[in-house]
Amino acid sequence: MNDFILVYDGGFDGLLSAIFFAFENKLEHPIIQNSNKPQTKLFGEVREIITEQDKANRVWKGMQAATKSMGSRQFYYSFLSEQEGMEQTLLAYAKHIFSKEKYMGGDYGEE
């Protein structure tokens, strides 16, 4: 199995474009990295993600519809935190949101 390293421009729309790419290509365990930070994974197929506004908007609107305003706001604030590993946490959150038939805000447990 190939690991993919998705490198985005560091902007919010770039992150959403990387998430779209991961879903579109059904990538199971991609690593999303900011191009402005040092690469942390040595092995894997690197893909440069070009920010595409229409794809970013699709992800954002889908997230807003699925989570109401609080969940999407928390997602955005988490992005702004710039904490190490934030991209992986937000990707996992997006997978959780979009995999449920009906999103249960605040449900952080796995079934």
Side-chain angles (χ1 to χ4, degrees):
M1 170 175 74
N2 282 353
D3 288 335
F4 286 89
I5 302 168
L6 308 179
V7 180
Y8 75 104
D9 63 6
F12 187 64
D13 290 333
L15 174 65
L16 295 177
S17 296
I19 290 172
F20 185 94
F21 183 88
F23 276 91
E24 180 180 46
N25 293 284
K26 297 179 179 18
L27 302 180
E28 290 187 32
H29 303 289
I31 304 296
I32 300 177
Q33 289 189 314
N34 185 329
S35 64
N36 301 318
K37 295 186 179 177
Q39 186 173 341
T40 58
K41 188 159 173 81
L42 296 176
F43 302 104
E45 186 175 333
V46 176
R47 294 285 178 101
E48 185 80 26
I49 302 299
I50 305 300
T51 300
E52 296 184 55
Q53 193 65 47
D54 58 328
K55 291 181 179 180
N57 286 341
R58 280 182 63 187
V59 173
W60 186 240
K61 286 178 182 176
M63 188 168 295
Q64 288 177 317
T67 65
K68 308 296 182 215
S69 65
M70 182 58 91
S72 56
R73 197 174 6 214
Q74 289 173 337
F75 185 93
Y76 183 65
Y77 292 156
S78 297
F79 169 79
L80 293 176
S81 74
E82 297 185 3
Q83 290 189 357
E84 186 175 333
M86 163 272 303
E87 292 91 351
Q88 295 313 113
T89 302
L90 294 179
L91 175 62
Y93 183 69
K95 284 183 176 182
H96 179 72
I97 289 167
F98 294 129
S99 70
K100 301 293 182 183
E101 289 180 23
K102 183 176 180 185
Y103 173 70
M104 303 291 285
D107 173 21
Y108 303 109
E110 297 280 335
E111 292 181 8

